[in-house]
Amino acid sequence: MMTKYCEDYKIECFPPPSGLDYASHPFELFFSKEEYMFDFMDIVPRSYKTLHYERNHDTKSWELICELEGWRDCENE
């Protein structure tokens, strides 16, 4: 039996170029479902830019489905 890996959705997270008081680096995470990917966004700092991808199973390539400049509305925090 083949094992299915959690690689149907992916987020690439990019910190702002400057202004953070802590060390930060771009990172990416993989998810098995789109809803899990967007649930994860609750903990991404609002200043991060995120690119959201879905894997095309025919071509095995990543297709951009969403790009966000900051996730949460800082006026409501």
Side-chain angles (χ1 to χ4, degrees):
M1 184 166 115
M2 278 183 40
T3 302
K4 183 175 187 230
Y5 296 98
C6 296
E7 295 184 354
D8 292 333
Y9 295 90
K10 163 175 96 163
I11 296 177
E12 293 178 341
C13 299
F14 301 93
S18 63
L20 295 178
D21 295 336
Y22 53 88
S24 60
H25 302 281
F27 62 93
E28 63 183 24
L29 295 165
F30 298 89
F31 302 88
S32 60
K33 294 184 178 184
E34 187 175 22
E35 67 185 272
Y36 300 159
M37 176 176 64
F38 284 105
D39 286 346
F40 171 78
M41 291 303 296
D42 289 339
I43 64 170
V44 174
R46 67 175 172 251
S47 57
Y48 278 57
K49 175 182 179 179
T50 57
L51 302 176
H52 303 252
Y53 297 90
E54 181 176 7
R55 182 176 298 276
N56 180 317
H57 290 284
D58 295 329
T59 65
K60 305 296 184 215
S61 64
W62 290 104
E63 296 180 355
L64 183 66
I65 57 174
C66 183
E67 181 175 337
L68 299 172
E69 290 282 348
W71 176 247
R72 292 172 271 157
D73 180 5
C74 59
E75 291 179 16
N76 293 327
E77 290 186 15

